[in-house]
Amino acid sequence: MFALKRALKLNKNEATLMVKHAGFRRVAFNMDLSLRTQMYGEGKFSDSKVINEINKLLSDRIKKQPGFAGMNQLSSRVYQNALIDLKDAFSKYRLGQSGHPNFASRRWGQSFTVDSSKGKVVLDAGYTIKIPKLGTFRLHEPFDCGWVSQTFTISNEGSGWFVSFCVDAERLPVQQPKKILGVDRGIKSFATLSEAEGSNNQVFEAPKPLKQGKTKLATLQRQASRQARGSNNHCKTYARISRVHAGISCVRKDFLNKLTTYLAKSFKLIKIEDLNVKGMMANHKLARAISDLGFYEFKRQLTYNCLMYMATRVLVDRGFPSSLTCSNCGQKQDRQLSIITYNCQSGGVSIDRNLNASINILNGEPSAARGIAY
C-alpha cells in the first residue's frame, strides 16, 4: 500500500464547497474535543461510549439548531472521520507519543477526510477524479492508469487544493547488497555516510529552501504590513506568501524522499542517531537552520521506506558520543561546534568531524547501538 497525491483544478463554487467541509471538520473536531475532555473529567474513559454520545449529540441536537442548519447540507463522513482523528490523537497521547490534543485552528491549514460507506471506489485513468460524497473534480495531472481506493483526504496547501488517497499495490522486490551503513546528520552537511568494508563515503548537502526563500518572504511580509488589513491586495499578498511556504515545504520533502528511498534501496542495515530535535531547537542560534533541514521528517520517512523495501533501521542512543570519540583509537575529547576537523593527537589522525561521527555510528558497540530496529 502506498499513497498518491494530486492537485485539484477547482472553480469558485467547488473551492467554496471544500472550504465549507474543512470548516465543518474543524467545528466538529473542536466540539468533540471539548465534550470528550469533559466526559473524561467525569470518569467516563470508554472510547466507544464517548464516541456514541458525541454522535447522538451532533445528530440529534446540534445539527437541528438554526445556527448549525448548514451542517445538514454537508457530508456526515467529515465529522465521522474527525472523531476517528481525535480518537487516534488521544491514543498517541496516552502512549506518550504526543501531547494532549489541541483545538483545531484555521491557521494550521484546512483539511478534511471523506470515505465511501459502500466500499471501494474505482478511479478511472484521465483528468478527473470521483470523490465519495463530494462529486467529480478535474485534476491538473492525469492518472496514467486506474486505481481503487476508499478514503480520501482533501487539503489546502499554498492556496491550492490537493487530494490524497492510499491504493493497494505490490512493490517490485528490491535486492539490496548486504551492506551496513552509518549515517551522521549535521547542519553543514545534512548526511555523511560511512559504509562497512568500503571506502565509498558519501556526503549529501541539503537544499535549505527556507534560507533561500527568506529574502522573498521578508519582502512579501513587509508589503503585507503596509496594506489595509482585510483588503483584496492584502489577501492576494498573503496568498503569495502561502505559495512561497508551500514551495519551501515541497523542496524539503522532495529531497528527503529521494534520499531516504535511495538509502532503503541500497543498504540492508542503516544506523542513525536518535537526535533530540526538540532540545536542539532550544538553541536560538541554530533553531532556524535545524528546522530548515527536517531531521524528524528524515527519520520518519526512513522508517517507512525501510519497511517498504525490507531494510533494517537501527537507532543509536542519544548519549553515544559519536562526535567526541576518535574513530581510530577510541579516545574521547571535548570539541567545539565551530571545529569541523577532528584532530586526535594520540592516534595521529586528522579527519572530518562528520565523517568521524558516521564511522563511530557504523562501528558502535551493541550496547550503544541498541534502539528500535525495523
Side-chain angles (χ1 to χ4, degrees):
M1 177 179 290
F2 63 95
L4 289 177
K5 187 175 182 179
R6 288 293 188 271
L8 294 171
K9 194 174 183 179
L10 306 179
N11 57 36
K12 188 175 181 179
N13 293 333
E14 292 171 342
T16 302
L17 178 66
M18 299 300 181
V19 172
K20 288 182 179 179
H21 277 89
F24 182 28
R25 188 263 179 194
R26 186 167 58 251
V27 171
F29 184 90
N30 291 339
M31 284 184 177
D32 298 344
L33 177 57
S34 178
L35 293 171
R36 187 178 284 246
T37 304
Q38 181 180 354
M39 295 181 74
Y40 281 157
E42 297 172 357
K44 302 175 182 178
F45 293 97
S46 173
D47 280 341
S48 59
K49 187 173 182 179
V50 170
I51 290 176
N52 290 334
E53 292 295 329
I54 293 174
N55 271 326
K56 291 179 182 179
L57 183 62
L58 276 173
S59 58
D60 298 340
R61 294 178 56 185
I62 295 179
K63 293 177 71 175
K64 293 181 179 180
Q65 297 179 9
F68 297 94
M71 289 185 176
N72 295 311
Q73 302 175 4
L74 305 176
S75 173
S76 62
R77 301 306 303 170
V78 173
Y79 82 80
Q80 295 286 352
N81 283 282
L83 288 175
I84 296 174
D85 292 341
L86 188 59
K87 180 181 177 181
D88 294 340
F90 269 103
S91 298
K92 292 181 180 180
Y93 169 64
R94 296 194 194 100
L95 295 174
Q97 298 177 356
S98 63
H100 190 277
N102 297 320
F103 289 102
S105 173
R106 185 173 181 176
R107 71 180 62 182
W108 297 348
Q110 302 185 80
S111 65
F112 63 95
T113 301
V114 293
D115 54 35
S116 174
S117 57
K118 298 180 180 179
K120 300 286 186 177
V121 177
V122 178
L123 306 176
D124 297 326
Y127 278 91
T128 59
I129 180 173
K130 185 178 181 180
I131 302 177
K133 311 299 182 180
L134 297 180
T136 303
F137 303 93
R138 294 173 297 168
L139 298 170
H140 282 281
E141 183 182 356
F143 291 131
D144 296 332
C145 59
W147 302 99
V148 176
S149 186
Q150 186 172 4
T151 304
F152 300 81
T153 298
I154 295 89
S155 58
N156 180 263
E157 301 176 16
S159 69
W161 288 93
F162 295 81
V163 57
S164 305
F165 55 93
C166 290
V167 296
D168 293 328
E170 293 184 1
R171 292 269 186 184
L172 294 176
V174 176
Q175 297 294 333
Q176 305 105 323
K178 294 183 178 180
K179 293 182 179 180
I180 304 176
L181 180 71
V183 182
D184 176 71
R185 289 171 286 171
I187 297 176
K188 182 177 179 290
S189 300
F190 179 81
T192 303
L193 314 183
S194 292
E195 297 182 24
E197 300 178 358
S199 58
N200 186 18
N201 301 317
Q202 304 179 65
V203 178
F204 290 88
E205 303 290 343
K208 300 179 182 178
L210 179 59
K211 183 178 180 180
Q212 297 175 2
K214 66 178 182 179
T215 302
K216 188 173 184 179
L217 282 174
T219 302
L220 292 173
Q221 289 165 349
R222 203 162 41 241
Q223 179 180 338
S225 66
R226 296 168 181 167
Q227 295 170 337
R229 185 178 297 273
S231 64
N232 289 334
N233 288 333
H234 188 260
C235 294
K236 290 178 183 178
T237 303
Y238 266 97
R240 292 176 63 188
I241 292 174
S242 298
R243 287 194 293 269
V244 174
H245 277 295
I248 290 172
S249 177
C250 287
V251 170
R252 183 185 301 116
K253 290 180 180 178
D254 178 72
F255 167 75
L256 295 176
N257 264 307
K258 290 178 179 177
L259 177 58
T260 54
T261 302
Y262 163 74
L263 296 179
K265 292 174 67 175
S266 303
F267 300 95
K268 199 68 177 177
L269 176 62
I270 303 170
K271 295 183 179 181
I272 63 172
E273 291 178 294
D274 184 19
L275 298 177
N276 182 13
V277 179
K278 185 176 181 180
M280 296 168 66
M281 293 283 287
N283 186 342
H284 67 278
K285 296 182 179 179
L286 302 176
R288 176 180 289 179
I290 293 172
S291 62
D292 195 15
L293 294 171
F295 284 153
Y296 176 81
E297 183 67 11
F298 171 82
K299 184 178 77 170
R300 188 188 71 84
Q301 292 190 16
L302 183 62
T303 299
Y304 75 71
N305 274 314
C306 285
L307 289 171
M308 185 177 298
Y309 295 105
M310 303 301 293
T312 303
R313 188 218 67 182
V314 175
L315 287 178
V316 176
D317 289 345
R318 293 181 180 181
F320 181 57
S322 59
S323 299
L324 307 178
T325 306
C326 177
S327 58
N328 185 39
C329 64
Q331 181 180 356
K332 181 181 176 182
Q333 53 181 312
D334 293 334
R335 312 290 294 180
Q336 297 179 357
L337 288 175
S338 59
I339 301 176
I340 61 175
T341 303
Y342 191 98
N343 296 313
C344 180
Q345 298 179 355
S346 60
V349 175
S350 180
I351 188 174
D352 180 78
R353 179 194 181 111
N354 296 330
L355 179 58
N356 177 76
S358 64
I359 296 175
N360 286 328
I361 294 172
L362 174 66
N363 300 324
E365 298 179 359
S367 60
R370 69 178 183 269
I372 305 174
Y374 297 90

